mmCIF file of all heavy atoms in Angstrom:
data_model
loop_
_atom_site.group_PDB
_atom_site.id
_atom_site.type_symbol
_atom_site.label_atom_id
_atom_site.label_comp_id
_atom_site.label_asym_id
_atom_site.label_seq_id
_atom_site.Cartn_x
_atom_site.Cartn_y
_atom_site.Cartn_z
ATOM 1 N N THR A 112 -57.440 -153.393 31.631
ATOM 2 C CA THR A 112 -56.175 -152.974 31.056
ATOM 3 C C THR A 112 -56.245 -152.934 29.496
ATOM 4 O O THR A 112 -55.645 -151.977 28.903
ATOM 5 C CB THR A 112 -55.112 -154.052 31.524
ATOM 6 O OG1 THR A 112 -55.078 -154.143 32.896
ATOM 7 C CG2 THR A 112 -53.714 -153.511 31.138
ATOM 8 N N ALA A 113 -56.961 -153.783 28.980
ATOM 9 C CA ALA A 113 -57.159 -153.864 27.498
ATOM 10 C C ALA A 113 -57.829 -152.552 27.070
ATOM 11 O O ALA A 113 -57.491 -151.849 26.120
ATOM 12 C CB ALA A 113 -57.896 -155.124 27.075
ATOM 13 N N ALA A 114 -58.962 -152.232 27.818
ATOM 14 C CA ALA A 114 -59.693 -151.012 27.446
ATOM 15 C C ALA A 114 -58.794 -149.776 27.605
ATOM 16 O O ALA A 114 -58.872 -148.856 26.771
ATOM 17 C CB ALA A 114 -60.912 -150.939 28.320
ATOM 18 N N LEU A 115 -58.101 -149.681 28.704
ATOM 19 C CA LEU A 115 -57.197 -148.488 28.955
ATOM 20 C C LEU A 115 -56.075 -148.412 27.937
ATOM 21 O O LEU A 115 -55.645 -147.232 27.547
ATOM 22 C CB LEU A 115 -56.591 -148.536 30.341
ATOM 23 C CG LEU A 115 -57.606 -148.400 31.447
ATOM 24 C CD1 LEU A 115 -56.979 -148.694 32.885
ATOM 25 C CD2 LEU A 115 -58.150 -146.939 31.520
ATOM 26 N N SER A 116 -55.607 -149.487 27.485
ATOM 27 C CA SER A 116 -54.406 -149.535 26.574
ATOM 28 C C SER A 116 -54.782 -149.500 25.140
ATOM 29 O O SER A 116 -53.887 -149.074 24.261
ATOM 30 C CB SER A 116 -53.497 -150.713 26.893
ATOM 31 O OG SER A 116 -54.169 -151.928 26.557
ATOM 32 N N GLY A 117 -55.934 -149.935 24.867
ATOM 33 C CA GLY A 117 -56.293 -150.101 23.375
ATOM 34 C C GLY A 117 -55.615 -151.336 22.784
ATOM 35 O O GLY A 117 -55.647 -151.589 21.575
ATOM 36 N N VAL A 118 -55.148 -152.272 23.593
ATOM 37 C CA VAL A 118 -54.523 -153.563 23.038
ATOM 38 C C VAL A 118 -55.638 -154.597 23.459
ATOM 39 O O VAL A 118 -56.301 -154.554 24.555
ATOM 40 C CB VAL A 118 -53.255 -153.924 23.907
ATOM 41 C CG1 VAL A 118 -52.777 -155.239 23.460
ATOM 42 C CG2 VAL A 118 -52.206 -152.839 23.638
ATOM 43 N N SER A 119 -56.015 -155.352 22.492
ATOM 44 C CA SER A 119 -57.076 -156.389 22.661
ATOM 45 C C SER A 119 -56.749 -157.297 23.912
ATOM 46 O O SER A 119 -55.580 -157.510 24.260
ATOM 47 C CB SER A 119 -57.251 -157.218 21.483
ATOM 48 O OG SER A 119 -56.162 -158.134 21.331
ATOM 49 N N ARG A 120 -57.833 -157.776 24.573
ATOM 50 C CA ARG A 120 -57.683 -158.592 25.677
ATOM 51 C C ARG A 120 -56.934 -159.881 25.344
ATOM 52 O O ARG A 120 -56.113 -160.424 26.026
ATOM 53 C CB ARG A 120 -59.089 -159.067 26.313
ATOM 54 C CG ARG A 120 -59.083 -159.864 27.563
ATOM 55 C CD ARG A 120 -60.346 -160.560 27.805
ATOM 56 N NE ARG A 120 -60.251 -161.379 29.029
ATOM 57 C CZ ARG A 120 -59.665 -162.512 29.172
ATOM 58 N NH1 ARG A 120 -59.050 -163.006 28.176
ATOM 59 N NH2 ARG A 120 -59.654 -163.220 30.296
ATOM 60 N N SER A 121 -57.165 -160.432 24.193
ATOM 61 C CA SER A 121 -56.599 -161.614 23.680
ATOM 62 C C SER A 121 -55.080 -161.457 23.539
ATOM 63 O O SER A 121 -54.249 -162.266 23.991
ATOM 64 C CB SER A 121 -57.210 -162.016 22.325
ATOM 65 O OG SER A 121 -56.486 -163.108 21.755
ATOM 66 N N MET A 122 -54.675 -160.286 22.956
ATOM 67 C CA MET A 122 -53.241 -159.954 22.742
ATOM 68 C C MET A 122 -52.608 -159.789 24.108
ATOM 69 O O MET A 122 -51.551 -160.324 24.394
ATOM 70 C CB MET A 122 -53.008 -158.760 21.898
ATOM 71 C CG MET A 122 -51.584 -158.319 21.796
ATOM 72 S SD MET A 122 -50.550 -159.662 21.160
ATOM 73 C CE MET A 122 -50.551 -159.236 19.437
ATOM 74 N N LEU A 123 -53.240 -159.082 24.921
ATOM 75 C CA LEU A 123 -52.702 -158.778 26.325
ATOM 76 C C LEU A 123 -52.486 -160.175 27.100
ATOM 77 O O LEU A 123 -51.439 -160.416 27.682
ATOM 78 C CB LEU A 123 -53.657 -157.938 27.107
ATOM 79 C CG LEU A 123 -53.152 -157.287 28.388
ATOM 80 C CD1 LEU A 123 -51.856 -156.538 28.195
ATOM 81 C CD2 LEU A 123 -54.122 -156.319 29.051
ATOM 82 N N SER A 124 -53.431 -161.017 26.929
ATOM 83 C CA SER A 124 -53.329 -162.329 27.617
ATOM 84 C C SER A 124 -52.217 -163.135 27.031
ATOM 85 O O SER A 124 -51.464 -163.787 27.814
ATOM 86 C CB SER A 124 -54.591 -163.120 27.372
ATOM 87 O OG SER A 124 -54.534 -164.427 27.998
ATOM 88 N N GLN A 125 -51.994 -163.121 25.706
ATOM 89 C CA GLN A 125 -50.893 -163.812 25.032
ATOM 90 C C GLN A 125 -49.530 -163.267 25.546
ATOM 91 O O GLN A 125 -48.498 -164.011 25.783
ATOM 92 C CB GLN A 125 -50.949 -163.693 23.550
ATOM 93 C CG GLN A 125 -52.069 -164.559 22.989
ATOM 94 C CD GLN A 125 -52.141 -164.317 21.427
ATOM 95 O OE1 GLN A 125 -51.429 -163.565 20.860
ATOM 96 N NE2 GLN A 125 -53.141 -165.077 20.842
ATOM 97 N N ILE A 126 -49.545 -161.984 25.674
ATOM 98 C CA ILE A 126 -48.207 -161.282 26.148
ATOM 99 C C ILE A 126 -47.910 -161.699 27.536
ATOM 100 O O ILE A 126 -46.793 -162.042 27.882
ATOM 101 C CB ILE A 126 -48.288 -159.720 25.984
ATOM 102 C CG1 ILE A 126 -48.433 -159.329 24.600
ATOM 103 C CG2 ILE A 126 -47.110 -159.012 26.795
ATOM 104 C CD1 ILE A 126 -48.864 -157.856 24.395
ATOM 105 N N GLU A 127 -48.969 -161.651 28.418
ATOM 106 C CA GLU A 127 -48.707 -162.084 29.862
ATOM 107 C C GLU A 127 -48.279 -163.530 29.973
ATOM 108 O O GLU A 127 -47.665 -163.854 30.938
ATOM 109 C CB GLU A 127 -49.969 -161.737 30.653
ATOM 110 C CG GLU A 127 -50.123 -160.279 30.980
ATOM 111 C CD GLU A 127 -51.157 -160.064 32.056
ATOM 112 O OE1 GLU A 127 -51.755 -161.037 32.658
ATOM 113 O OE2 GLU A 127 -51.457 -158.856 32.351
ATOM 114 N N ARG A 128 -48.756 -164.409 29.013
ATOM 115 C CA ARG A 128 -48.382 -165.770 29.121
ATOM 116 C C ARG A 128 -47.058 -165.982 28.479
ATOM 117 O O ARG A 128 -46.493 -167.104 28.484
ATOM 118 C CB ARG A 128 -49.386 -166.722 28.358
ATOM 119 C CG ARG A 128 -50.711 -166.728 29.223
ATOM 120 C CD ARG A 128 -51.607 -167.830 28.713
ATOM 121 N NE ARG A 128 -51.860 -167.874 27.261
ATOM 122 C CZ ARG A 128 -52.786 -167.117 26.615
ATOM 123 N NH1 ARG A 128 -53.718 -166.549 27.265
ATOM 124 N NH2 ARG A 128 -52.862 -167.250 25.256
ATOM 125 N N GLY A 129 -46.400 -164.915 27.827
ATOM 126 C CA GLY A 129 -45.104 -165.103 27.177
ATOM 127 C C GLY A 129 -45.246 -165.771 25.847
ATOM 128 O O GLY A 129 -44.203 -166.171 25.247
ATOM 129 N N GLU A 130 -46.441 -165.735 25.278
ATOM 130 C CA GLU A 130 -46.633 -166.460 24.011
ATOM 131 C C GLU A 130 -46.528 -165.344 22.819
ATOM 132 O O GLU A 130 -46.477 -165.798 21.569
ATOM 133 C CB GLU A 130 -48.004 -167.036 23.938
ATOM 134 C CG GLU A 130 -48.197 -168.225 24.946
ATOM 135 C CD GLU A 130 -49.598 -168.726 25.037
ATOM 136 O OE1 GLU A 130 -50.508 -168.155 24.367
ATOM 137 O OE2 GLU A 130 -49.769 -169.645 25.860
ATOM 138 N N ALA A 131 -46.497 -164.104 23.104
ATOM 139 C CA ALA A 131 -46.425 -163.112 22.078
ATOM 140 C C ALA A 131 -45.375 -162.115 22.376
ATOM 141 O O ALA A 131 -45.200 -161.781 23.553
ATOM 142 C CB ALA A 131 -47.832 -162.461 21.864
ATOM 143 N N ASN A 132 -44.671 -161.615 21.363
ATOM 144 C CA ASN A 132 -43.624 -160.595 21.612
ATOM 145 C C ASN A 132 -44.296 -159.289 21.206
ATOM 146 O O ASN A 132 -44.524 -158.982 20.013
ATOM 147 C CB ASN A 132 -42.542 -160.820 20.614
ATOM 148 C CG ASN A 132 -41.574 -161.927 21.110
ATOM 149 O OD1 ASN A 132 -41.410 -162.031 22.334
ATOM 150 N ND2 ASN A 132 -40.924 -162.539 20.127
ATOM 151 N N PRO A 133 -44.539 -158.400 22.249
ATOM 152 C CA PRO A 133 -45.203 -157.069 21.890
ATOM 153 C C PRO A 133 -44.236 -156.241 21.242
ATOM 154 O O PRO A 133 -43.035 -156.139 21.571
ATOM 155 C CB PRO A 133 -45.499 -156.535 23.364
ATOM 156 C CG PRO A 133 -44.573 -157.278 24.224
ATOM 157 C CD PRO A 133 -44.205 -158.547 23.593
ATOM 158 N N SER A 134 -44.685 -155.437 20.323
ATOM 159 C CA SER A 134 -43.881 -154.338 19.647
ATOM 160 C C SER A 134 -43.604 -153.170 20.648
ATOM 161 O O SER A 134 -44.259 -153.225 21.696
ATOM 162 C CB SER A 134 -44.624 -153.842 18.460
ATOM 163 O OG SER A 134 -45.761 -153.128 18.796
ATOM 164 N N VAL A 135 -42.687 -152.292 20.303
ATOM 165 C CA VAL A 135 -42.392 -151.211 21.103
ATOM 166 C C VAL A 135 -43.739 -150.361 21.302
ATOM 167 O O VAL A 135 -43.986 -149.806 22.448
ATOM 168 C CB VAL A 135 -41.272 -150.387 20.549
ATOM 169 C CG1 VAL A 135 -41.053 -149.073 21.311
ATOM 170 C CG2 VAL A 135 -40.027 -151.167 20.485
ATOM 171 N N ALA A 136 -44.548 -150.171 20.205
ATOM 172 C CA ALA A 136 -45.792 -149.377 20.293
ATOM 173 C C ALA A 136 -46.785 -150.022 21.327
ATOM 174 O O ALA A 136 -47.369 -149.273 22.075
ATOM 175 C CB ALA A 136 -46.411 -149.293 18.947
ATOM 176 N N ILE A 137 -46.790 -151.333 21.311
ATOM 177 C CA ILE A 137 -47.666 -151.968 22.202
ATOM 178 C C ILE A 137 -47.302 -151.822 23.605
ATOM 179 O O ILE A 137 -48.020 -151.612 24.553
ATOM 180 C CB ILE A 137 -47.982 -153.410 21.790
ATOM 181 C CG1 ILE A 137 -48.902 -153.436 20.437
ATOM 182 C CG2 ILE A 137 -48.724 -154.205 22.919
ATOM 183 C CD1 ILE A 137 -49.087 -154.730 19.972
ATOM 184 N N LEU A 138 -45.924 -152.126 23.865
ATOM 185 C CA LEU A 138 -45.354 -151.845 25.166
ATOM 186 C C LEU A 138 -45.718 -150.437 25.703
ATOM 187 O O LEU A 138 -46.005 -150.284 26.905
ATOM 188 C CB LEU A 138 -43.800 -152.153 25.184
ATOM 189 C CG LEU A 138 -43.517 -153.601 25.262
ATOM 190 C CD1 LEU A 138 -41.954 -153.690 25.245
ATOM 191 C CD2 LEU A 138 -44.007 -154.284 26.481
ATOM 192 N N GLY A 139 -45.543 -149.483 24.811
ATOM 193 C CA GLY A 139 -45.858 -148.090 25.178
ATOM 194 C C GLY A 139 -47.288 -147.883 25.588
ATOM 195 O O GLY A 139 -47.603 -147.230 26.558
ATOM 196 N N LYS A 140 -48.215 -148.527 24.838
ATOM 197 C CA LYS A 140 -49.598 -148.428 25.250
ATOM 198 C C LYS A 140 -49.971 -149.050 26.520
ATOM 199 O O LYS A 140 -50.682 -148.470 27.474
ATOM 200 C CB LYS A 140 -50.454 -149.052 24.075
ATOM 201 C CG LYS A 140 -50.507 -148.308 22.771
ATOM 202 C CD LYS A 140 -51.326 -149.011 21.782
ATOM 203 C CE LYS A 140 -51.426 -148.320 20.528
ATOM 204 N NZ LYS A 140 -52.314 -148.997 19.600
ATOM 205 N N ILE A 141 -49.311 -150.254 26.777
ATOM 206 C CA ILE A 141 -49.567 -150.958 28.085
ATOM 207 C C ILE A 141 -48.895 -150.224 29.259
ATOM 208 O O ILE A 141 -49.552 -150.009 30.258
ATOM 209 C CB ILE A 141 -48.919 -152.312 27.983
ATOM 210 C CG1 ILE A 141 -49.725 -153.261 26.948
ATOM 211 C CG2 ILE A 141 -49.017 -153.057 29.320
ATOM 212 C CD1 ILE A 141 -49.049 -154.558 26.633
ATOM 213 N N ALA A 142 -47.755 -149.589 29.026
ATOM 214 C CA ALA A 142 -47.112 -148.741 30.074
ATOM 215 C C ALA A 142 -47.998 -147.625 30.428
ATOM 216 O O ALA A 142 -48.028 -147.317 31.558
ATOM 217 C CB ALA A 142 -45.677 -148.421 29.629
ATOM 218 N N ALA A 143 -48.467 -146.902 29.463
ATOM 219 C CA ALA A 143 -49.366 -145.774 29.700
ATOM 220 C C ALA A 143 -50.571 -146.137 30.505
ATOM 221 O O ALA A 143 -50.930 -145.489 31.406
ATOM 222 C CB ALA A 143 -49.698 -145.077 28.360
ATOM 223 N N ALA A 144 -51.204 -147.299 30.030
ATOM 224 C CA ALA A 144 -52.350 -147.795 30.853
ATOM 225 C C ALA A 144 -52.086 -148.092 32.276
ATOM 226 O O ALA A 144 -52.869 -147.840 33.188
ATOM 227 C CB ALA A 144 -52.979 -148.997 30.083
ATOM 228 N N LEU A 145 -50.913 -148.687 32.506
ATOM 229 C CA LEU A 145 -50.495 -149.123 33.815
ATOM 230 C C LEU A 145 -49.843 -147.888 34.620
ATOM 231 O O LEU A 145 -49.597 -147.983 35.793
ATOM 232 C CB LEU A 145 -49.438 -150.197 33.806
ATOM 233 C CG LEU A 145 -50.006 -151.581 33.290
ATOM 234 C CD1 LEU A 145 -48.971 -152.578 33.065
ATOM 235 C CD2 LEU A 145 -51.237 -152.133 34.103
ATOM 236 N N LYS A 146 -49.668 -146.792 33.928
ATOM 237 C CA LYS A 146 -49.097 -145.558 34.454
ATOM 238 C C LYS A 146 -47.655 -145.783 35.069
ATOM 239 O O LYS A 146 -47.291 -145.432 36.169
ATOM 240 C CB LYS A 146 -50.050 -144.922 35.536
ATOM 241 C CG LYS A 146 -51.337 -144.529 34.863
ATOM 242 C CD LYS A 146 -52.249 -143.887 35.860
ATOM 243 C CE LYS A 146 -53.421 -143.417 35.158
ATOM 244 N NZ LYS A 146 -54.540 -143.058 36.043
ATOM 245 N N VAL A 147 -46.824 -146.478 34.248
ATOM 246 C CA VAL A 147 -45.472 -146.799 34.601
ATOM 247 C C VAL A 147 -44.585 -146.404 33.393
ATOM 248 O O VAL A 147 -44.976 -146.492 32.196
ATOM 249 C CB VAL A 147 -45.168 -148.312 35.041
ATOM 250 C CG1 VAL A 147 -45.896 -148.558 36.331
ATOM 251 C CG2 VAL A 147 -45.384 -149.285 33.896
ATOM 252 N N PRO A 148 -43.399 -146.094 33.565
ATOM 253 C CA PRO A 148 -42.394 -145.871 32.488
ATOM 254 C C PRO A 148 -42.201 -147.170 31.662
ATOM 255 O O PRO A 148 -42.191 -148.294 32.338
ATOM 256 C CB PRO A 148 -41.057 -145.443 33.084
ATOM 257 C CG PRO A 148 -41.401 -145.022 34.456
ATOM 258 C CD PRO A 148 -42.647 -145.846 34.874
ATOM 259 N N ALA A 149 -42.087 -147.089 30.365
ATOM 260 C CA ALA A 149 -41.982 -148.265 29.592
ATOM 261 C C ALA A 149 -40.824 -149.216 29.978
ATOM 262 O O ALA A 149 -40.854 -150.444 29.912
ATOM 263 C CB ALA A 149 -41.860 -147.952 28.108
ATOM 264 N N GLU A 150 -39.710 -148.583 30.437
ATOM 265 C CA GLU A 150 -38.495 -149.308 30.785
ATOM 266 C C GLU A 150 -38.770 -150.325 31.886
ATOM 267 O O GLU A 150 -38.096 -151.287 32.096
ATOM 268 C CB GLU A 150 -37.361 -148.497 31.077
ATOM 269 C CG GLU A 150 -37.459 -147.357 32.058
ATOM 270 C CD GLU A 150 -37.894 -146.015 31.531
ATOM 271 O OE1 GLU A 150 -38.384 -145.924 30.430
ATOM 272 O OE2 GLU A 150 -37.714 -145.026 32.303
ATOM 273 N N VAL A 151 -39.734 -149.919 32.774
ATOM 274 C CA VAL A 151 -40.090 -150.823 33.825
ATOM 275 C C VAL A 151 -40.617 -152.129 33.388
ATOM 276 O O VAL A 151 -40.333 -153.202 33.978
ATOM 277 C CB VAL A 151 -41.110 -150.107 34.829
ATOM 278 C CG1 VAL A 151 -41.674 -151.164 35.892
ATOM 279 C CG2 VAL A 151 -40.483 -148.959 35.505
ATOM 280 N N LEU A 152 -41.329 -152.106 32.243
ATOM 281 C CA LEU A 152 -41.803 -153.438 31.741
ATOM 282 C C LEU A 152 -40.674 -154.221 31.159
ATOM 283 O O LEU A 152 -40.851 -155.492 31.045
ATOM 284 C CB LEU A 152 -42.799 -153.143 30.601
ATOM 285 C CG LEU A 152 -43.989 -152.268 30.964
ATOM 286 C CD1 LEU A 152 -44.965 -152.118 29.821
ATOM 287 C CD2 LEU A 152 -44.757 -152.871 32.182
ATOM 288 N N LEU A 153 -39.541 -153.639 30.891
ATOM 289 C CA LEU A 153 -38.351 -154.406 30.290
ATOM 290 C C LEU A 153 -37.412 -154.856 31.399
ATOM 291 O O LEU A 153 -36.468 -155.587 30.993
ATOM 292 C CB LEU A 153 -37.703 -153.542 29.353
ATOM 293 C CG LEU A 153 -38.455 -153.121 28.105
ATOM 294 C CD1 LEU A 153 -37.692 -152.092 27.246
ATOM 295 C CD2 LEU A 153 -38.810 -154.386 27.188
ATOM 296 N N GLU A 154 -37.563 -154.489 32.625
ATOM 297 C CA GLU A 154 -36.686 -154.959 33.683
ATOM 298 C C GLU A 154 -36.498 -156.412 33.697
ATOM 299 O O GLU A 154 -37.543 -157.139 33.699
ATOM 300 C CB GLU A 154 -37.055 -154.359 35.024
ATOM 301 C CG GLU A 154 -36.874 -152.800 35.128
ATOM 302 C CD GLU A 154 -37.222 -152.235 36.450
ATOM 303 O OE1 GLU A 154 -37.765 -152.996 37.329
ATOM 304 O OE2 GLU A 154 -37.105 -151.037 36.662
ATOM 305 N N ASN A 155 -35.350 -156.930 33.801
ATOM 306 C CA ASN A 155 -35.109 -158.382 33.820
ATOM 307 C C ASN A 155 -34.216 -158.590 35.100
ATOM 308 O O ASN A 155 -33.033 -158.597 35.051
ATOM 309 C CB ASN A 155 -34.294 -158.740 32.610
ATOM 310 C CG ASN A 155 -34.208 -160.171 32.352
ATOM 311 O OD1 ASN A 155 -34.613 -160.910 33.270
ATOM 312 N ND2 ASN A 155 -33.598 -160.658 31.251
ATOM 313 N N ASP A 156 -34.852 -158.923 36.145
ATOM 314 C CA ASP A 156 -34.247 -159.119 37.410
ATOM 315 C C ASP A 156 -34.091 -160.606 37.711
ATOM 316 O O ASP A 156 -34.837 -161.161 38.397
ATOM 317 C CB ASP A 156 -35.043 -158.431 38.610
ATOM 318 C CG ASP A 156 -34.346 -158.522 39.819
ATOM 319 O OD1 ASP A 156 -33.179 -158.863 39.832
ATOM 320 O OD2 ASP A 156 -34.899 -158.060 40.796
ATOM 321 N N ASP A 157 -32.952 -161.139 37.119
ATOM 322 C CA ASP A 157 -32.624 -162.570 37.491
ATOM 323 C C ASP A 157 -31.478 -162.590 38.443
ATOM 324 O O ASP A 157 -30.761 -163.535 38.513
ATOM 325 C CB ASP A 157 -32.389 -163.372 36.217
ATOM 326 C CG ASP A 157 -31.221 -162.901 35.427
ATOM 327 O OD1 ASP A 157 -30.733 -161.710 35.679
ATOM 328 O OD2 ASP A 157 -30.902 -163.570 34.461
ATOM 329 N N PHE A 158 -31.265 -161.487 39.286
ATOM 330 C CA PHE A 158 -30.178 -161.415 40.218
ATOM 331 C C PHE A 158 -30.363 -162.427 41.244
ATOM 332 O O PHE A 158 -31.484 -162.412 41.840
ATOM 333 C CB PHE A 158 -30.100 -159.958 40.702
ATOM 334 C CG PHE A 158 -29.052 -159.860 41.808
ATOM 335 C CD1 PHE A 158 -27.692 -159.767 41.494
ATOM 336 C CD2 PHE A 158 -29.426 -159.697 43.047
ATOM 337 C CE1 PHE A 158 -26.784 -159.740 42.456
ATOM 338 C CE2 PHE A 158 -28.448 -159.571 44.136
ATOM 339 C CZ PHE A 158 -27.058 -159.615 43.742
ATOM 340 N N THR A 159 -29.463 -163.140 41.595
ATOM 341 C CA THR A 159 -29.499 -164.067 42.695
ATOM 342 C C THR A 159 -28.461 -163.585 43.727
ATOM 343 O O THR A 159 -27.262 -163.356 43.521
ATOM 344 C CB THR A 159 -29.014 -165.459 42.266
ATOM 345 O OG1 THR A 159 -29.820 -165.944 41.232
ATOM 346 C CG2 THR A 159 -29.130 -166.452 43.460
#
């Protein structure tokens, strides 16, 4: 995923652990690498 997105493995790991706030540009790169719209990464489903 890091190779596909151009985001370092370290940064990607920090983002996945919730330790880093990704910029819009980084979110765009990750979304492109995962082949999903960027808004999917922002979905906050805490519906009970």
Side-chain angles (χ1 to χ4, degrees):
T112 306
L115 290 170
S116 66
V118 176
S119 73
R120 183 197 181 287
S121 172
M122 175 56 92
L123 193 56
S124 179
Q125 287 176 1
I126 293 169
E127 283 192 4
R128 290 193 311 268
E130 297 171 356
N132 284 328
S134 68
V135 174
I137 289 177
L138 278 179
K140 289 179 179 183
I141 295 170
L145 296 174
K146 296 182 180 167
V147 296
E150 59 264 18
V151 170
L152 302 181
L153 296 171
E154 288 180 357
N155 189 357
D156 188 8
D157 60 354
F158 176 73
T159 303

